[in-house]
């Protein structure tokens, strides 16, 4: 699963608690034969199934999962048996007339269920066709515990089985699942009976069914048919994803050493949205929301095109790491998500080298992981999951981004060939099975001929970020001996509690030699050839912050332009973070930033822009706000002028990304030229919906919306109401919440009490309002809790409202968030704790950084 960009923080599920791995292992499913008949108009469905089971030990009862289903009948070996549905445990228990003997048996059920408006179980996506007519698509979303809302199942990842699925679809509609349709039979009432081929053994959360008035386009990659499925009229926008999937399939076949095992691989585009995910790796039928899959050249930015590749690469990597080999229980979710996140960048680096994906990850994914990991909100990558609530919480930045960074560190430490050999061993040994993390370490160790777990356990079994400090360095006879101390980097007191790691590190001298070392214990001496500037964590392959003594940092500043790109980015990121944590003064960051020249790599300027944006956010509404805004505009405006506000045909994709970032940041700060540009372009939209150049469409719209006057906001509302493209409409809905003006935010909130927008659109609008008005959004949501909970997904209920207040600078907000959390079950309070922790970290950082910012601005105290 690929988390939505706007929901990268931890999530939680507000359904009742369920003990981890609680289903008895005495009965296991072998083959499900499921038939469903959806009624999309009534938003209900009926179903029946027969499950072939294997009874491992005599048992008087059979327990499996079911939720939100009205069970009509239950049978064991063809005979009706009494049953009970425990709604709190989401379990269905059959009581047998006599204990079932060891061996093969069958259970059968019939039931009715509901089609949901949000992405859980079987759900509907409502949209408007290009001709203005209304349409409804059906899809399923089962990760993590929602297959049980579709059919009674052993809905835990270790209970792998085969699936046969039949579904009734309206005449003329397309239905699709994990496997190709074996037959499509027209029924007497004009409907169609789709019978899909039997799947390989797989976990229940990977089952998929979709249907609607849709189109399918295919390409062939070896013996696998790759398809894209969309609403009518936009299937050609899937061409880019199809072409990239065709490149990725042989790449993955080779990397994993196991051929993709299904006959087809569909990529399904849904014209909706979710509060917590953008795509889901259903085996052979990957589901995406449209912006993550379809490339509209009239509206999509360069970064949007690159994101399509990385999301497709992420989900396709899951077809092996997650689908073919699956974690045994959600404790090891990172095996799925961390690896897929790493693989999206690995494949991008190999197949699209101009993107510099591995360098970009240093300043984005690595920083995202450390930003959470260096606070009281951290947790081990491998965490104990005991409730449904905790399953949802596991889908967070630690699982994804830290998992990705740790895997990258191990590849860097072992070497790419040895690492790949270990992955191939793992895939070959455990295909179609379930694993825990230590089984991966065992195969990597076998490939490397040395223990991997000794290093890996420190990063996966405890939270926190290592800190390697250079305490001294001396050079004699052309060789430098550096003394390195190990500590812990944290942004608050809780995250600074002492811990130790074995930190693999590359240490180099600029223009000299390099050596690999493992920093363990309180102090380690490292010897490296050369007497030049010492560079710690060269390549930034290790998951650690590095802190130099003054002489060492002076050398880094002096030789900054001689450093490799990864190290320039890593130094900028480390220096800012170390200042935010109180380890050094922010003047060190400004000294390094001063070395970023006019012709620096676009990734450097993108990182500088991001950090200046963060500083502006920290001091918004304070006396430093105006001078900091002016200094930021003076720093970044010339960069935009150099690269131009419109794209050139021969420019690097990274220049396009930088342009988006600069237009967005300058526009947010009210740069007059960017604002003039935005108002001019938006004025043309009424007659030409694609008037804005696609390279800057998103930041231009954001600039217009953020700085909107009352008349501007009315213009946005008219554009929203007139838009028929569902993706563009979703974007316009969110833009209505961007305005900095309080009165316009109040008007946007009023729209939430109408039926103007769909449930996902209203959730997106409220979240957008919280960007500029966190206090207003949070207070409104608490006052209108029942309404808000009616349009947000179950998976987001405990985290959504508290997250609205996360940007507040009101000293009273933490108490309000904690008070709200008291109304939730204890197992659902994790997001509140993380939000309060984030507020505290931001407040402390502002205090630490203020003196250096004042000095940089020349404002004094």
């Amino acid at each position: 699963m690929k988390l939505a960009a706007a929901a990268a923080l931890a999530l939680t599920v507000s359904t009742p608690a369920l003990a981890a791995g609680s289903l008895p292992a005495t009965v296991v499913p072998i083959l499900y034969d499921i038939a469903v008949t959806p009624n999309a108009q009534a938003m209900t469905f009926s179903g029946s199934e027969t499950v072939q089971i294997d009874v491992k030990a005599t048992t008087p009862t059979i327990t499996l999962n079911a939720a939100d289903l009205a069970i009509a009948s239950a049978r064991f070996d063809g005979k009706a048996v009494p049953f009970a549905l425990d709604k709190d445990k989401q379990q269905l228990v059959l009581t047998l007339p006599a204990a079932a003997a060891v061996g093969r048996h069958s259970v059968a059920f019939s039931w009715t269920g509901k089609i949901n408006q949000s992405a859980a179980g079987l759900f509907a996506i409502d949209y408007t066709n290009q001709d203005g007519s209304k349409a409804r698509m059906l899809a399923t979303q089962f990760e993590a515990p929602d297959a049980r809302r579709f059919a009674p199942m052993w809905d835990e990842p270790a209970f792998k089985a085969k699936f046969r699925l039949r579904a009734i679809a309206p005449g003329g509609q397309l239905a699709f699942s994990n496997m190709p349709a074996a037959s499509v039979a027209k029924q007497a009432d004009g409907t169609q009976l789709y019978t899909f081929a039997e799947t390989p053994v797989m976990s229940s959360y990977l089952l998929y069914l979709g249907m609607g008035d849709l189109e399918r386009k295919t390409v062939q990659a070896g013996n696998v048919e790759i398809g894209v499925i969309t609403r009518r009229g936009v299937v050609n926008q899937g061409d880019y994803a199809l072409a990239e999937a065709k490149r990725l399939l042989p790449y993955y076949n080779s990397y994993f050493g196991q051929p993709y095992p299904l006959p087809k691989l569909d990529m399904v585009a849904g014209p909706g949205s979710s509060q917590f995910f953008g795509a889901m790796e259903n085996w052979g039928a990957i589901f995406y929301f449209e912006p993550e899959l379809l490339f509209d050249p009239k509206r999509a930015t360069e970064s949007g095109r690159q994101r399509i590749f990385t999301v497709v690469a992420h989900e396709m990597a899951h077809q092996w790491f997650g689908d073919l080999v699956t974690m045994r229980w959600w404790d090891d979710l990172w095996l799925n998500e961390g690896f897929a996140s790493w693989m999206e960048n690995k494949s991008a680096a190999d197949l699209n080298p101009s993107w510099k994906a591995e360098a970009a990850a240093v300043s984005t994914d690595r920083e995202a992981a450390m930003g959470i990991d260096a606070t009281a909100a951290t947790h081990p990558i491998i965490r104990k999951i005991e409730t449904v609530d905790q399953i949802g919480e596991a889908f967070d930045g630690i699982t994804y981004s830290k998992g990705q960074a740790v895997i990258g560190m191990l590849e860097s430490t072992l070497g790419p060939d040895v690492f790949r050999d270990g992955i191939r061993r793992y895939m070959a040994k455990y295909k179609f099975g379930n694993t825990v993390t230590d089984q991966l370490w065992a195969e990597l160790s076998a490939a490397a001929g040395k223990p991997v777990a000794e290093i890996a356990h420190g990063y996966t079994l405890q939270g926190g970020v290592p800190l390697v400090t250079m305490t001294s360095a001396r050079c004699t006879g052309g060789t430098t001996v550096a003394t390195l101390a190990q500590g812990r980097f944290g942004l608050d007191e809780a995250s600074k509690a002492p811990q130790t790691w074995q930190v693999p590190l590359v240490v180099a001298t600029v223009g000299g030699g390099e050596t690999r070392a493992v920093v363990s214990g309180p102090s380690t001496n490292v010897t490296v050839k050369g007497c030049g500037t010492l560079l710690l964590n060269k390549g930034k392959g290790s998951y650690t912050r590095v802190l130099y003594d003054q002489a060492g940092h002076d050398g880094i500043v002096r030789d900054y332009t001689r450093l490799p790109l990864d190290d320039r980015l890593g130094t900028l990121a480390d220096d800012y973070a170390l200042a935010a944590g109180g380890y050094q003064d922010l003047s060190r960051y400004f000294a390094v930033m001063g070395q970023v020249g006019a012709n620096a790599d676009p990734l450097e300027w993108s990182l500088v822009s991001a950090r200046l944006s963060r500083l502006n956010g920290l001091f918004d509404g304070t006396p430093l706000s105006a001078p900091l805004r002016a200094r930021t505009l003076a720093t970044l405006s010339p960069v935009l002028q150099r690269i131009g506000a419109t794209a050139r045909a021969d420019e690097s994709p990274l220049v396009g990304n930088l342009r988006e970032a600069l237009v967005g940041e300058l526009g947010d700060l009210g740069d007059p030229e960017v604002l003039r540009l935005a108002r001019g372009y938006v004025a043309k939209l009424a007659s030409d919906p694609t008037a804005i150049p696609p390279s800057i469409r998103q930041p231009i719209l954001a600039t217009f919306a953020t700085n909107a006057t009352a008349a501007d906001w009315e213009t946005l509302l008219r554009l929203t109401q007139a838009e028929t493209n569902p993706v563009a409409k979703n974007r316009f809905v969110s833009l209505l919440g961007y305005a900095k003006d309080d009165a316009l935010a109040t008007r946007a909130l009023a729209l939430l009490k109408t039926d103007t927008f769909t449930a996902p659109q209203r959730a997106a609008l409220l979240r957008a309002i919280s960007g500029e008005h966190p206090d207003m959004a949070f207070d409104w949501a608490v006052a209108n809790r029942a309404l808000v909970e009616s349009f947000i997904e179950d998976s987001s209920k405990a985290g959504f409202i508290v997250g609205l207040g996360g940007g507040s600078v009101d000293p009273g907000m933490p108490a309000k968030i904690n008070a709200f959390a008291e109304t939730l079950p204890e197992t659902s309070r994790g997001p509140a704790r993380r939000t309060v922790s984030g507020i505290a970290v931001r407040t402390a950082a502002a205090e630490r950084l203020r003196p250096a910012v004042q000095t940089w601005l020349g404002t004094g105290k």
Side-chain angles (χ1 to χ4, degrees):
M1 181 185 287
K2 184 70 173 177
L3 288 183
L9 297 180
L11 310 166
T12 190
V13 181
S14 59
T15 47
L18 170 65
S22 60
L23 294 180
T26 51
V27 178
V28 298
I30 299 170
L31 171 66
Y32 294 87
D33 193 330
I34 303 172
V36 294
T37 303
N39 185 332
Q41 187 171 14
M43 295 288 281
T44 61
F45 71 99
S46 59
S48 62
E49 71 177 356
T50 298
V51 189
Q52 303 300 320
I53 60 174
D54 185 8
V55 175
K56 301 290 188 181
T58 56
T59 177
T61 61
I62 294 176
T63 304
L64 62 161
N65 296 114
D68 293 338
L69 300 178
I71 308 297
S73 66
R75 305 178 75 84
F76 176 75
D77 285 344
K79 296 181 179 179
V81 293
F83 60 89
L85 183 61
D86 187 323
K87 292 185 177 180
D88 289 340
K89 291 184 177 181
Q90 299 181 351
Q91 290 182 350
L92 179 62
V93 181
L94 309 187
T95 302
L96 307 180
V102 172
R104 300 294 178 93
H105 299 271
S106 69
V107 291
F109 305 95
S110 62
W111 67 90
T112 56
K114 63 179 181 179
I115 299 174
N116 295 305
Q117 291 184 314
S118 58
L122 181 60
F123 70 101
I125 304 173
D126 293 337
Y127 61 96
T128 303
N129 285 314
Q130 292 173 314
D131 62 4
S133 61
K134 302 294 184 181
R136 174 170 288 170
M137 173 183 176
L138 299 184
T140 57
Q141 170 58 28
F142 292 160
E143 189 178 32
D146 289 326
R148 65 194 66 178
R149 302 179 193 278
F150 180 72
M153 292 190 197
W154 280 260
D155 194 19
E156 295 179 358
F159 288 95
K160 285 192 167 185
K162 296 180 179 181
F163 291 83
R164 293 176 186 160
L165 181 62
R166 288 168 289 141
I168 297 290
Q173 288 199 5
L174 176 67
F176 42 94
S177 184
N178 308 81
M179 297 291 285
S183 66
V184 182
K186 187 173 182 179
Q187 307 296 289
D189 60 359
T191 61
Q192 307 166 93
L193 172 62
Y194 277 80
T195 301
F196 297 100
E198 183 177 293
T199 72
V201 292
M202 66 183 194
S203 299
S204 57
Y205 75 89
L206 298 170
L207 183 64
Y208 182 81
L209 173 66
M211 64 178 63
D213 184 20
L214 306 166
E215 294 183 271
R216 182 172 184 257
K217 187 174 186 177
T218 66
V219 296
Q220 198 73 22
N223 61 352
V224 177
E225 183 180 78
I226 304 175
V228 64
I229 297 172
T230 75
R231 57 188 166 90
R232 290 199 175 274
V234 297
V235 73
N236 290 338
Q237 291 180 19
D239 287 350
Y240 173 67
L242 276 177
E244 296 309 301
K246 185 173 181 177
R247 295 173 72 204
L248 282 161
L249 192 68
Y251 175 87
Y252 284 150
N253 282 338
S254 172
Y255 189 88
F256 293 118
Q258 297 291 324
Y260 176 75
L262 277 64
K264 64 95 175 173
L265 175 58
D266 277 327
M267 300 183 290
V268 183
S273 63
S274 165
Q275 290 110 56
F276 72 97
F277 80 103
M280 173 61 205
E281 65 267 19
N282 314 297
W283 214 1
I286 305 170
F287 178 84
Y288 303 79
F289 288 108
E290 279 192 13
E292 313 288 8
L293 184 69
L294 302 187
F295 179 70
D296 181 352
K298 295 181 179 179
R299 291 180 172 86
T301 59
E302 171 59 26
S303 66
R305 187 173 72 91
Q306 292 177 24
R307 179 168 172 84
I308 289 170
F309 175 90
T310 57
V311 175
V312 169
H314 181 106
E315 301 307 328
M316 285 184 65
H318 273 312
Q319 305 300 289
W320 287 264
F321 236 100
D323 297 3
L324 182 62
V325 181
T326 312
M327 77 267 145
R328 186 176 299 167
W329 180 247
W330 302 103
D331 295 23
D332 288 293
L333 175 65
W334 89 283
L335 284 174
N336 290 10
E337 300 300 348
F339 200 95
S341 297
W342 177 75
M343 204 71 200
E344 71 186 50
N345 280 327
K346 172 97 173 157
S347 61
D350 288 345
L351 298 178
N352 301 289
S354 66
W355 297 357
K356 301 180 182 178
E358 291 179 336
V362 171
S363 58
T364 53
D365 302 317
R366 172 181 180 264
E367 290 302 298
M370 290 183 175
I372 303 172
D373 204 17
T375 71
T378 191
H379 60 79
I381 286 178
I382 301 171
R383 60 190 305 188
K384 189 64 177 174
I385 302 296
E386 295 182 334
T387 68
V388 167
D389 296 334
Q390 291 169 345
I391 293 175
E393 286 192 52
F395 289 85
D396 70 353
I398 299 291
T399 297
Y400 284 74
S401 298
K402 184 177 180 181
Q404 166 187 345
V406 169
I407 290 166
M409 180 180 69
L410 292 174
E411 187 206 32
S412 175
T413 301
L414 301 178
D417 293 340
V418 170
F419 182 82
R420 183 185 58 199
D421 182 44
I423 295 302
R424 288 175 172 175
R425 288 169 177 261
Y426 175 82
M427 283 289 156
K429 189 171 184 176
Y430 297 112
K431 60 184 176 183
F432 302 109
N434 297 86
T435 61
V436 297
T437 297
D438 277 344
Q439 290 169 297
L440 175 60
W441 300 154
E443 298 310 312
L444 289 174
S445 296
K450 57 184 177 182
V452 170
E454 290 180 4
I455 290 174
H457 280 167
Y459 291 89
T460 57
L461 300 181
Q462 63 182 0
V465 181
L467 174 64
V468 173
T469 301
M470 185 175 78
T471 58
S472 68
R474 60 193 182 278
C475 188
T476 57
T479 300
T480 298
V481 178
T483 300
L484 306 180
Q486 181 185 169
R488 183 179 178 186
F489 169 76
L491 293 168
D492 52 28
E493 289 308 308
S495 63
K496 295 180 180 181
Q499 288 181 177
T500 58
W501 293 261
Q502 292 192 44
V503 184
L505 207 65
V506 176
V507 180
T509 53
V510 175
E514 67 179 56
T515 187
R516 289 186 174 273
V518 175
V519 179
S520 57
S523 182
T524 301
N525 288 331
V526 178
T527 301
V528 59
K529 291 182 179 180
C531 290
T533 296
L534 198 66
L535 180 58
L536 303 181
N537 196 20
K538 182 178 184 292
K540 298 300 175 280
S542 186
Y543 184 78
T544 184
R545 297 283 189 201
V546 294
L547 175 62
Y548 295 90
D549 62 12
Q550 189 59 51
H553 195 270
D554 289 344
I556 290 291
V557 174
R558 181 179 61 249
D559 288 333
Y560 174 81
T561 56
R562 298 176 62 196
L563 304 182
L565 177 59
D566 305 58
D567 295 298
R568 300 199 301 272
L569 295 169
T571 298
L572 284 164
D574 277 349
D575 273 357
Y576 183 92
L578 289 165
Y583 296 88
Q584 65 182 28
D585 193 77
L586 189 65
S587 59
R588 283 191 171 187
Y589 169 77
F590 288 133
V592 175
M593 191 185 93
Q595 300 302 306
V596 179
N599 296 316
D601 192 282
L603 289 173
E604 292 172 85
W605 276 114
S606 293
L607 181 54
V608 168
S609 174
R611 290 301 174 267
L612 290 177
S613 174
R614 186 172 297 179
L615 285 174
N616 277 275
L618 284 178
F619 296 108
D620 188 32
T622 73
L624 286 179
S625 181
L628 183 55
R629 182 186 303 114
R631 183 69 181 268
T632 302
L633 293 176
T635 302
L636 299 181
S637 293
V639 183
L640 180 59
Q641 290 169 9
R642 281 195 296 272
I643 65 174
T646 56
R648 299 190 307 271
D650 61 344
E651 71 183 16
S652 158
L654 298 181
V655 171
N657 293 347
L658 175 59
R659 179 182 294 107
E660 290 179 55
L662 292 173
V663 171
E665 175 60 13
L666 293 171
D668 185 64
L669 294 175
D671 178 83
E673 178 57 26
V674 174
L675 184 54
R676 183 196 64 77
L677 200 64
R679 288 191 166 134
Y681 276 129
V682 172
K684 300 175 182 178
L685 289 181
S687 58
D688 180 5
T690 59
I692 305 174
S695 62
I696 55 172
R697 179 181 174 88
Q698 300 307 333
I700 282 291
L701 287 172
T703 295
F704 182 85
T706 300
N707 298 280
T709 64
D712 293 336
W713 193 86
E714 288 290 347
T715 297
L716 274 180
L717 183 60
R718 287 194 298 272
L719 289 169
T720 305
Q721 292 167 335
E723 184 60 66
T724 57
N725 179 299
V727 174
K729 190 179 188 73
N730 289 344
R731 175 65 176 160
F732 276 126
V733 170
S734 292
L735 289 170
L736 290 169
Y738 277 32
K740 292 182 179 181
D741 184 272
D742 288 352
L744 297 179
T746 300
R747 292 185 65 183
L749 286 172
L751 291 173
L752 299 175
K753 291 189 174 182
T754 71
D755 59 0
T756 305
F757 303 129
T758 66
Q761 287 170 342
R762 286 193 282 177
L765 177 55
L766 181 53
R767 179 173 275 156
I769 294 167
S770 74
E772 292 289 345
H773 305 276
D775 301 277
M776 183 187 299
F778 176 83
D779 292 343
W780 187 92
V782 171
N784 296 275
R785 180 174 179 177
L787 173 62
V788 173
E789 291 188 345
S790 74
F791 60 68
I792 60 177
E793 296 157 2
D794 284 348
S795 310
S796 302
K797 283 184 178 176
F800 186 89
I801 291 177
V802 297
L804 298 174
S808 174
V809 296
D810 179 2
M813 178 56 76
K816 291 198 290 186
I817 291 174
N818 286 329
F820 179 84
E822 289 295 321
T823 69
L824 303 172
E826 173 60 36
T827 54
S828 296
R829 296 176 188 173
R833 289 191 288 269
R834 282 186 290 278
T835 302
V836 170
S837 172
I839 292 172
V841 164
R842 195 175 64 250
T843 301
E847 290 303 309
R848 292 179 185 130
L849 300 180
R850 182 176 283 106
V853 173
Q854 290 172 330
T855 300
W856 186 60
L857 296 174
T859 61
K861 294 185 178 180

